Amino acid sequence: MKKLLSGIFAIIIVCMALAAGSARLAKSQGATGGNVLNFANWGDYIDPALIKKFEKETGYHVNQETFDSNEAMYTKIKQGGTHYDLTVPSEYMVEKMANDHLLVPLDKSKLTGMNNFGKDFMNQPFDPGNKYSIPYFWGTLGIIYNDKYIKPGAIQHWDDLWSKKYRGQIMLIDSARDIMGMSLVSLGKSMNTTDTPTLAAAKAKLDTLSPNVKAVVADEIKMYMGNNEAPLAVDWSGEAADMMYENSHLHYIVPTEGSNLWFDNFVIPKTAEHYKAIYAFLNFMSNPKNAAQNTDYVGYSTPNNAARKLLPKSTREDKSFYPTESTMKRLEVYKDLAPTVVGKYNDYFLEFKMFRH
Amino acid sequence: MRKNVNAAFYVPYVLWLGLFVIAPMLLIFYQSFFDINHHFTLANYATYFQSGTYLTMTFNSVWYAFVITVVTLLISYPAALILHYMKHKQLWLLLIILPTWVNLLLKAYAFIGIFGKDGGINNFLGFFGAAPMQLLFTDAAFIFVAAYIEIPFMILPIFNGIEELDENLVNASQDLGASSWQTFTKVTLPLTMSGVKSGVQAVFIPSLSLFMLTRLIGGNRVITLGTAIEEHFLTTMNWGMGSTIGVVLIVAMVIIMFLTGERAKHRVKGGRRHV
């Protein structure tokens, strides 16, 4: 009898632990008290010193919580139970969240630093008139090369990657949209292509890149490139900045024929409660001095032109991270495509990964 | 009264099975009938069996799992046999199990260091002028690491099988004039077959759905069904298709269990775990 009872108890305890765990997951933290700001951000994506400074200046306490994919953050906000006041989705997710009525429009009268932002980064198709979002950082997709193995200037365009010289030397980021997009651009097509024949052509072109591909990996690319494991990689500018910090032989270029332009943006989700703290924080972050300090810490490109002027000359005129006007014009922002189309991108990408000679 | 109490003893067992085994499987099965727009459909299964992609992937998964199992078995059986005749066998056994205490991810990263361009193996080969060779992201590296990780789960059941074998039978066989080879093939091997079968189950089934290693060590040049499931759940958000592949894997596992299962009673020793 004792055994029986303890068995049943064990199961009840496991169930309760699971329920508690899932409730915790759903709720996450997020204090609901008065002087707080519940901020959901990507990991290591803000200078902690700035948060301290903000808390000291304004008296608000910042609860920072991190997420590692737009989708995870989206699910949390959509399912409720969170109390986020601010979050930082990428551009296509801003569009998706706005369409799903998960965002609160910005009250422009309470924002003080909007004139600091460059025109190139405002009024983007994913959020016309910046009704919901303020750009936080932006970047591109490009090629990283190691000057120990590749002569500077040898790689200028996407098509150069297809050269027979680079057999088994390229690492690709494991992202369907980006790698399919790269192939589409090299064919002179849009990165937001939706029609199947064009996508199939892009996939066929990718297959011919297959002998040159050493691996298709995710975050590990940073480690591999840092260790000189491969001479070439296709990755985002933000990741490239991290790698170049680790290994001075690495360089980043944005092909002039076009690439992706991405944005991470501040938005107010509908779960927000502390509006005073939100606007205080947004204004604090768009202050040129603070934005410059944050840019220096994070290493991505800032849309805040006033802040950019405060950066060291070598940074603010670096063509890799602040491309020329003519290249900027050819960069394309991802649109939020229909799920079936996204599925198609992913299926083709999976087939490409399976393709072997 | 007595009878009621006995029946009540099944309650924890049934609850456990129902909540943590049957219910999740039913959920996966249920999910597999929904497309990306949450409409009821059979299209996921049609896609699976009509697309060359998934069939090739299935074939690849089974093939890699098969190779990993064979490699593991070839190493484990002699190892278990030697272990059996060792002096401090429990100690040696502990040493073999010890690596399973280390997290899989850490082991994978360690292998990245070993196989890398400036890694231990290439440094060693450098003395003979053969370096640097591309070791990471190859089939061989993937199978090597997967086999390394699976070996303890193969050795344990085989070792237990050999331990249970009556030493007198081996002695009798030798007394009656059988050579060592004959003793091995006619007596030892058939009598330890149940251990081999549990070992094969414990290795083959998880190997079918390995996914992290395919990216870390295989650099996504090796694609298994596990990779596809991960992608469908995390990137495409097409849970239906992911569940469909999950169902196919469950069916495959049932088939393997049936093929390797013994008709007579047998005991499965040696643990199973998540990979």
Side-chain angles (χ1 to χ4, degrees):
Chain A
M1 203 62 201
K2 240 187 193 166
K3 254 192 193 161
L4 172 64
L5 282 178
S6 53
I8 291 179
F9 264 126
I11 289 182
I12 291 172
I13 287 170
V14 169
C15 288
M16 273 167 33
L18 286 174
S22 88
R24 237 188 91 101
L25 272 180
K27 246 205 171 78
S28 311
Q29 41 155 223
T32 43
N35 286 341
V36 296
L37 176 76
N38 296 317
F39 178 33
N41 192 10
W42 300 81
D44 203 23
Y45 205 31
I46 188 166
D47 185 351
L50 277 176
I51 294 204
K52 285 229 178 70
K53 190 177 163 200
F54 172 75
E55 288 180 335
K56 217 168 150 192
E57 270 181 21
T58 62
Y60 294 112
H61 176 70
V62 179
N63 289 321
Q64 204 187 176
E65 199 180 316
T66 60
F67 55 87
D68 56 12
S69 82
N70 280 302
E71 285 70 21
M73 184 266 300
Y74 169 85
T75 315
K76 271 191 178 176
I77 288 174
K78 189 166 186 188
Q79 289 184 339
T82 53
H83 298 282
Y84 298 146
D85 294 316
L86 262 184
T87 182
V88 193
S90 304
E91 73 292 321
Y92 74 97
M93 192 48 84
V94 173
E95 195 176 348
K96 189 178 162 107
M97 290 172 88
N99 289 338
D100 292 353
H101 307 290
L102 294 176
L103 299 181
V104 179
L106 295 167
D107 184 348
K108 298 274 170 54
S109 66
K110 290 182 182 153
L111 292 168
T112 54
M114 294 302 272
N115 293 331
N116 296 336
F117 293 96
K119 262 195 270 149
D120 283 347
F121 312 111
M122 303 302 272
N123 196 17
Q124 290 287 336
F126 63 88
D127 183 21
N130 287 75
K131 194 173 167 203
Y132 300 103
S133 69
I134 304 179
Y136 180 50
F137 280 114
W138 62 275
T140 50
L141 177 77
I143 303 167
I144 297 122
Y145 68 88
N146 190 323
D147 63 17
K148 273 192 191 168
Y149 312 103
I150 309 268
K151 254 193 286 161
I155 299 246
Q156 300 279 0
H157 303 287
W158 292 119
D159 272 331
D160 294 336
L161 295 176
W162 269 262
S163 158
K164 283 206 171 63
K165 275 186 289 189
Y166 307 125
R167 203 150 273 258
Q169 302 199 359
I170 305 171
M171 290 203 163
L172 299 178
I173 185 76
D174 189 7
S175 157
R177 202 68 200 269
D178 290 302
I179 299 304
M180 284 291 288
M182 161 186 102
S183 185
L184 283 166
V185 171
S186 76
L187 289 170
K189 305 286 184 195
S190 159
M191 289 185 126
N192 292 312
T193 298
T194 53
D195 69 300
T196 312
T198 314
L199 287 176
K203 191 259 171 188
K205 178 152 188 195
L206 269 188
D207 283 346
T208 61
L209 181 65
S210 188
N212 286 4
V213 177
K214 185 182 179 106
V216 184
V217 281
D219 294 341
E220 309 90 71
I221 258 187
K222 274 192 273 191
M223 176 183 71
Y224 288 128
M225 291 303 286
N227 294 342
N228 302 321
E229 187 69 39
L232 282 167
V234 175
D235 206 343
W236 303 296
S237 56
E239 303 280 281
D242 286 354
M243 293 178 214
M244 289 157 68
Y245 183 74
E246 295 288 326
N247 185 339
S248 59
H249 288 289
L250 299 178
H251 306 273
Y252 178 78
I253 62 139
V254 183
T256 47
E257 66 269 31
S259 179
N260 166 237
L261 174 65
W262 53 261
F263 289 92
D264 288 333
N265 315 272
F266 282 125
V267 297
I268 308 175
K270 64 161 196 200
T271 52
E273 285 162 359
H274 310 98
Y275 287 93
K276 270 199 177 136
I278 293 171
Y279 286 103
F281 189 74
L282 289 176
N283 291 333
F284 176 84
M285 289 309 292
S286 53
N287 172 311
K289 223 176 129 219
N290 296 334
Q293 183 185 338
N294 199 31
T295 307
D296 196 42
Y297 176 87
V298 176
Y300 286 27
S301 313
T302 179
N304 190 324
N305 279 358
R308 191 176 149 195
K309 288 206 184 83
L310 299 177
L311 294 171
K313 196 171 178 217
S314 58
T315 314
R316 73 171 184 257
E317 285 179 5
D318 188 343
K319 292 269 175 301
S320 339
F321 295 101
Y322 297 98
T324 58
E325 200 77 18
S326 63
T327 310
M328 281 301 281
K329 282 210 185 81
R330 294 208 187 83
L331 299 180
E332 236 183 313
V333 180
Y334 289 144
K335 288 189 189 130
D336 181 35
L337 301 177
T340 43
V341 180
V342 176
K344 225 176 267 164
Y345 271 83
N346 280 289
D347 287 347
Y348 277 130
F349 187 55
L350 198 61
E351 281 174 39
F352 155 67
K353 286 198 274 185
M354 284 174 58
F355 184 84
R356 289 223 196 169
H357 281 273
Chain B
M1 188 63 214
R2 185 77 233 155
K3 209 172 177 189
N4 280 343
V5 172
N6 274 345
F9 271 101
Y10 286 113
V11 172
Y13 182 68
V14 171
L15 264 181
W16 185 272
L17 269 183
L19 285 175
F20 301 120
V21 180
I22 312 281
M25 293 223 288
L26 286 180
L27 272 177
I28 290 182
F29 196 63
Y30 174 78
Q31 280 279 358
S32 71
F33 291 111
F34 288 88
D35 68 8
I36 200 159
N37 300 316
H38 306 287
H39 297 305
F40 183 85
T41 174
L42 286 171
N44 290 332
Y45 287 93
T47 315
Y48 187 94
F49 289 106
Q50 280 168 6
S51 102
T53 320
Y54 289 114
L55 292 180
T56 327
M57 210 184 309
T58 315
F59 175 77
N60 282 348
S61 302
V62 171
W63 173 245
Y64 282 116
F66 175 75
V67 174
I68 291 166
T69 313
V70 169
V71 170
T72 323
L73 183 62
L74 285 180
I75 296 169
S76 300
Y77 200 97
L81 208 58
I82 293 169
L83 216 57
H84 174 69
Y85 292 108
M86 293 278 240
K87 213 170 174 190
H88 304 287
K89 51 186 163 194
Q90 290 306 333
L91 175 72
W92 292 111
L93 194 64
L94 182 77
L95 289 181
I96 285 176
I97 300 169
L98 214 55
T100 60
W101 297 2
V102 177
N103 184 288
L104 174 67
L105 202 56
L106 290 179
K107 287 189 275 191
Y109 271 91
F111 271 110
I112 291 177
I114 294 171
F115 285 141
K117 219 164 149 188
D118 292 319
I121 297 184
N122 268 323
N123 276 339
F124 178 73
L125 290 177
F127 289 124
F128 308 103
M133 270 176 26
Q134 180 62 42
L135 300 169
L136 263 182
F137 316 127
T138 57
D139 282 358
F142 172 69
I143 288 165
F144 183 92
V145 176
Y148 162 80
I149 284 161
E150 302 288 359
I151 275 176
F153 303 99
M154 182 70 95
I155 288 191
L156 266 180
I158 297 180
F159 176 78
N160 284 327
I162 297 176
E163 287 285 284
E164 278 171 17
L165 177 67
D166 193 344
E167 201 66 30
N168 289 328
L169 294 175
V170 178
N171 292 339
S173 152
Q174 276 164 352
D175 281 350
L176 294 172
S179 68
S180 308
W181 179 247
Q182 280 170 324
T183 309
F184 177 71
T185 53
K186 304 277 181 205
V187 179
T188 315
L189 193 57
L191 286 173
T192 52
M193 215 49 202
S194 71
V196 172
K197 281 178 177 171
S198 339
V200 167
Q201 280 179 9
V203 170
F204 188 87
I205 292 172
S207 301
L208 266 183
S209 53
L210 279 175
F211 68 89
M212 208 169 45
L213 286 183
T214 56
R215 196 181 83 206
L216 288 176
I217 304 290
N220 271 331
R221 310 299 286 154
V222 176
I223 298 277
T224 61
L225 290 175
T227 327
I229 295 181
E230 188 200 15
E231 185 141 322
H232 279 306
F233 272 87
L234 296 181
T235 323
T236 333
M237 305 289 261
N238 187 353
W239 289 23
M241 196 65 221
S243 304
T244 305
I245 304 173
V247 170
V248 172
L249 268 178
I250 293 174
V251 171
M253 290 174 188
V254 170
I255 295 174
I256 304 295
M257 293 289 263
F258 181 76
L259 288 181
T260 54
E262 249 187 297
R263 314 296 175 253
K265 74 161 185 151
H266 74 296
R267 271 172 289 174
V268 181
K269 286 192 181 174
R272 291 276 321 280
R273 76 271 97 99
H274 312 281
V275 171

